[in-house]
Amino acid sequence: MKTEKIYFGAAYYDEYMPVSRVEEDMRLMKEAGMNVIRVAESTWSTWEPRDGEFDFSSLHRMLRGAKKYGIDVIVGTPTYAIPPWLARKYPDILADTHAGPSKYGHRQNMDITHPGYRFHCERIIRALLEQVQEYDNVIGFQLDNETKPYDTCGPRAQALFKKWLMDKFGSVENLNQAFGLAYWSNCLGCWDDLPDVRGTINNSLAAEFEAFQRNLVTEFLLWQRAIVDEYRRPEQFVTHNFDYEWRDYSHALQPDADQFQAAEAVTVAGCDIYHPTAAYLTGAEISFGGDLARGLKHGQNFFVLETQAQGPVGRLPWPGQLRLQAFAHLANGANMVEYWHWHSIHNAIESHWKGVLSHDFTPGAVYQEVKTIGADFARIGSHLVNLKRHSEVAFVVSNRSLTGLKHSYAFAGPNYGDILRWLYDAFFRLNISVDIVDDSVRDFSAYKLVVTPGLYCTEDSLLEALREYVKKGGHLLSSFRSFFCDENVKIRTSCQPGGLTDVFGMTYDNFTVPVEVPGAREWMELLRPENAQTLRHYAHPAYQDYACVTHHRFGKGSAAYIGTMLEDRELERLLTELLPKMGIGVPEYRWPLIIKEGTNGQQKKVRYVLNYSAKENQYRAPENCRELLTDRKVRRGETLDIAPWGLAVLE
């Protein structure tokens, strides 16, 4: 989504404050160059303390205060944390999960299919939106918050899943065949035989249930969007803060929502990106999260609706890092950077997850650095907004493959997120820009190279699309565990890699866990080249007759296959050797200098040079340009000194 300016701000919760200080906070935000806040998504029990009794007084305080200081507002629907009276009214509203019934207290503990939940959601959404219609500084709405199915598995979900299977397969005979239910006598004689899926040992059935659960998220967000559309003005956007697989920070593809599908519910994609910091800040999580968010709406600009200011204990940024992080989001195509959250919270589970202000509300060192960011955005934001990026490389991601690998019970290797980030991070460190697309794409003609990390489950139509892509001149790079199963997680009976042995010019039938095999980690497939060139062998006497990496010319293009998780440095060496053969140039600069570029709204090239290092680094300008932060001309060949945790922005 294109915007007129860079939006910069924070989530704000007057209702969490030990004392109300809206006027002071808005003044401090204005001084820091902030121009947007997000409100309302977290406190249903404040807006509706008792069933049918509404109190929006603190909401109006925030909206009036923001309007006074020229600050725009995003209003979130407060449906991801239910009030206690609602849990008391409907004892079965709390999700029945694989681990048993949920308990009240934490957020996101409800069954999002429950009719009582839906009734009260709609009522609070309508009541809230009626309150905000008069405010012209409300620029958009956020649907719910980091929505997931919360592993709802109770009788209602089981009944809906049965209908899902009936609609998809038509008969139990088709289902039995597609899922291989003959194993251990799991075949159904009629639809009423379908057991509680929580006990299944069938990986196809287990993965299909997770696909059904992900679809519940899409349906729920589309349902909320329809309500919001009745109230919003044409110029007001609708967004959602999609989050990622969580490993104490944002890591990889979200397993509990099909975000490419769910993005149909929004006019602009939003995301939450949290990452390591201090000595552990690499920029990889910022880059991955941004590339994925940009892909959700087919290359459109996106919003970072949550990222850390101070963050949890241990994530206090070193001087300069907060500024570097903010610009790194813009370098990926973000038009908004919002911190979670403005003020540190004084009680409950997230009380030591600190915001822009600490618990004493004084504008300390973090606030002072935020001021420098706000000033920069205000001064040069018109050169940075609406950055258009397109890459020569597409990474294909797949929720079906993620769950397929998860439910492959004998699979001892790395999980899907590990494989995805292993390959993605190598491209990131080599400064090779990528777009991220999902496995519903069939036309890859816009890309020179397609990469499939761990694409375990595929439809035949995708295999054929990849074959035609390579035959016509495209290039394909695939990792181990790609193309092993069909879309129903049923292992293909053809030679592996399933359906594409002619494209890769090799096959394999044995795989194992490497033991004392130099350079091989966690998983290895013993590749047998037929027409392919061997680029790497396994360095072990038991496996020396097998290839580790192959490359094969097919039609006008080529296909390479990596049979093991190489050590990171070896993977970078391999890519440096292989990618030029596939039409992809390998840049001169490597991490910790990260280079991102695109075209701004004025149709000028903008290049970000980001230094993820505590040491100064040098960058030589490849052309005449202007460094926007210092507003000085730079000649072609001139060397720029990039400060520790610093950056340059060249137009």
Side-chain angles (χ1 to χ4, degrees), residues 145-172:
N145 180 84
E146 298 180 342
T147 308
K148 301 175 189 69
Y150 317 127
D151 195 30
T152 183
C153 297
R156 185 179 303 100
Q158 300 284 341
L160 290 170
F161 180 53
K162 180 167 75 172
K163 184 178 185 306
W164 165 280
L165 294 175
M166 293 170 68
D167 291 343
K168 182 172 182 177
F169 292 99
S171 70
V172 292

Coordinates of all heavy atoms in Angstrom, one line a residue, residues 145-172:
N145 N -5.5 -9.6 16.6 CA -4.1 -9.5 16.9 C -3.4 -10.8 16.8 O -3.8 -11.8 17.5 CB -4.0 -9.0 18.4 CG -2.5 -8.8 18.8 OD1 -1.9 -7.8 18.5 ND2 -1.9 -9.8 19.4
E146 N -2.4 -10.9 15.9 CA -1.7 -12.2 15.8 C -2.6 -13.4 15.8 O -2.3 -14.4 16.5 CB -0.6 -12.3 16.9 CG 0.4 -11.1 16.8 CD 1.5 -11.2 17.9 OE1 1.2 -12.0 18.9 OE2 2.5 -10.6 17.8
T147 N -3.6 -13.4 15.0 CA -4.7 -14.4 15.1 C -4.2 -15.8 14.7 O -3.4 -16.0 13.7 CB -5.8 -14.1 14.1 OG1 -6.2 -12.7 14.4 CG2 -7.0 -15.0 14.4
K148 N -4.6 -16.8 15.5 CA -4.3 -18.2 15.2 C -5.6 -19.0 15.6 O -6.5 -18.5 16.2 CB -3.1 -18.6 16.1 CG -1.8 -17.8 15.7 CD -0.7 -18.2 16.6 CE 0.5 -17.2 16.4 NZ 0.2 -15.9 16.9
P149 N -5.6 -20.3 15.4 CA -6.7 -21.1 15.8 C -6.7 -21.5 17.2 O -7.7 -22.1 17.7 CB -6.6 -22.3 14.8 CG -5.2 -22.5 14.5 CD -4.6 -21.1 14.5
Y150 N -5.6 -21.3 17.9 CA -5.4 -21.6 19.3 C -5.7 -23.1 19.6 O -6.1 -23.5 20.6 CB -6.3 -20.7 20.2 CG -6.3 -19.3 19.7 CD1 -7.4 -18.6 19.4 CD2 -5.0 -18.6 19.5 CE1 -7.4 -17.3 19.0 CE2 -5.0 -17.3 19.0 CZ -6.1 -16.7 18.7 OH -6.1 -15.4 18.3
D151 N -5.3 -23.9 18.6 CA -5.4 -25.4 18.6 C -6.8 -25.8 19.1 O -6.9 -26.8 19.8 CB -4.3 -25.9 19.5 CG -4.2 -27.4 19.4 OD1 -4.4 -27.9 18.2 OD2 -3.8 -28.1 20.3
T152 N -7.9 -25.2 18.6 CA -9.2 -25.6 19.0 C -9.5 -27.0 18.4 O -9.3 -27.2 17.2 CB -10.3 -24.6 18.6 OG1 -11.5 -25.0 19.0 CG2 -10.3 -24.4 17.1
C153 N -9.8 -28.0 19.2 CA -10.0 -29.4 18.8 C -11.2 -30.0 19.3 O -11.4 -31.2 19.2 CB -8.8 -30.2 19.3 SG -7.2 -29.8 18.6
G154 N -12.1 -29.2 20.0 CA -13.3 -29.8 20.6 C -14.3 -30.3 19.7 O -14.1 -30.3 18.4
P155 N -15.4 -30.7 20.2 CA -16.5 -31.3 19.3 C -16.9 -30.5 18.2 O -17.2 -31.0 17.1 CB -17.6 -31.6 20.3 CG -17.0 -31.7 21.6 CD -15.8 -30.8 21.6
R156 N -17.0 -29.1 18.4 CA -17.4 -28.2 17.3 C -16.4 -28.3 16.2 O -16.7 -28.4 15.0 CB -17.6 -26.8 17.8 CG -18.2 -25.9 16.8 CD -18.3 -24.5 17.4 NE -19.2 -24.5 18.5 CZ -18.8 -24.5 19.8 NH1 -17.5 -24.4 20.1 NH2 -19.7 -24.6 20.8
A157 N -15.1 -28.2 16.5 CA -14.0 -28.2 15.5 C -14.0 -29.6 14.8 O -13.8 -29.6 13.6 CB -12.7 -27.9 16.2
Q158 N -14.2 -30.6 15.6 CA -14.2 -32.0 15.0 C -15.3 -32.1 13.9 O -15.1 -32.7 12.8 CB -14.3 -33.1 16.0 CG -13.2 -33.1 17.1 CD -11.9 -33.7 16.6 OE1 -11.9 -34.4 15.6 NE2 -10.9 -33.4 17.3
A159 N -16.5 -31.6 14.2 CA -17.6 -31.6 13.3 C -17.3 -30.8 12.1 O -17.6 -31.2 10.9 CB -18.9 -31.2 14.0
L160 N -16.7 -29.6 12.3 CA -16.4 -28.8 11.1 C -15.3 -29.4 10.2 O -15.4 -29.3 9.0 CB -15.9 -27.4 11.6 CG -17.0 -26.5 12.2 CD1 -16.3 -25.3 12.9 CD2 -18.0 -26.1 11.2
F161 N -14.4 -30.1 10.9 CA -13.4 -30.8 10.1 C -13.9 -32.0 9.3 O -13.5 -32.2 8.2 CB -12.3 -31.3 11.1 CG -11.2 -32.1 10.4 CD1 -10.5 -31.5 9.4 CD2 -10.8 -33.4 10.8 CE1 -9.4 -32.1 8.8 CE2 -9.8 -34.0 10.2 CZ -9.0 -33.4 9.2
K162 N -14.9 -32.7 9.8 CA -15.5 -33.7 9.1 C -16.2 -33.2 7.8 O -16.0 -33.7 6.7 CB -16.6 -34.5 9.9 CG -17.2 -35.6 9.2 CD -18.0 -36.5 10.1 CE -19.3 -35.9 10.6 NZ -20.1 -36.9 11.3
K163 N -16.9 -32.0 8.0 CA -17.5 -31.4 6.8 C -16.4 -31.0 5.8 O -16.6 -31.1 4.6 CB -18.3 -30.2 7.2 CG -19.1 -29.6 6.0 CD -20.0 -28.4 6.5 CE -20.8 -27.9 5.3 NZ -20.0 -27.5 4.2
W164 N -15.3 -30.5 6.3 CA -14.2 -30.1 5.5 C -13.7 -31.2 4.6 O -13.5 -31.1 3.4 CB -13.1 -29.5 6.4 CG -11.7 -29.4 5.8 CD1 -10.8 -30.4 5.6 CD2 -11.0 -28.2 5.4 NE1 -9.6 -29.8 5.2 CE2 -9.7 -28.5 5.0 CE3 -11.4 -26.8 5.4 CZ2 -8.8 -27.6 4.6 CZ3 -10.5 -25.9 4.9 CH2 -9.2 -26.2 4.5
L165 N -13.6 -32.4 5.2 CA -13.1 -33.6 4.5 C -14.2 -34.1 3.5 O -13.8 -34.5 2.4 CB -12.8 -34.7 5.5 CG -11.6 -34.5 6.5 CD1 -11.5 -35.6 7.5 CD2 -10.3 -34.4 5.7
M166 N -15.4 -34.0 3.9 CA -16.5 -34.5 3.0 C -16.5 -33.6 1.8 O -16.7 -34.1 0.7 CB -17.8 -34.4 3.8 CG -18.0 -35.4 4.9 SD -19.4 -35.2 5.9 CE -20.8 -35.5 4.7
D167 N -16.4 -32.3 2.0 CA -16.4 -31.4 0.8 C -15.2 -31.6 -0.1 O -15.3 -31.5 -1.3 CB -16.4 -29.9 1.3 CG -17.7 -29.5 2.0 OD1 -18.7 -30.3 1.8 OD2 -17.7 -28.5 2.7
K168 N -14.0 -31.9 0.5 CA -12.8 -32.0 -0.3 C -12.7 -33.4 -1.0 O -12.3 -33.4 -2.1 CB -11.6 -31.8 0.7 CG -10.3 -31.9 -0.1 CD -9.1 -31.5 0.8 CE -7.8 -31.6 0.1 NZ -6.6 -31.1 0.9
F169 N -13.1 -34.5 -0.3 CA -12.9 -35.8 -0.9 C -14.1 -36.5 -1.4 O -14.0 -37.4 -2.1 CB -12.2 -36.7 0.2 CG -10.8 -36.2 0.5 CD1 -10.5 -35.5 1.6 CD2 -9.7 -36.6 -0.4 CE1 -9.2 -35.1 1.9 CE2 -8.4 -36.2 -0.1 CZ -8.2 -35.4 1.0
G170 N -15.3 -36.0 -0.9 CA -16.5 -36.6 -1.5 C -17.0 -37.9 -0.9 O -18.1 -38.1 -0.6
S171 N -16.0 -38.8 -0.7 CA -16.4 -40.2 -0.2 C -15.3 -40.6 0.7 O -14.1 -40.2 0.6 CB -16.6 -41.2 -1.3 OG -15.4 -41.5 -1.9
V172 N -15.6 -41.5 1.6 CA -14.6 -42.1 2.5 C -13.6 -42.9 1.8 O -12.4 -43.1 2.1 CB -15.2 -42.9 3.7 CG1 -16.0 -42.0 4.6 CG2 -16.1 -44.0 3.2

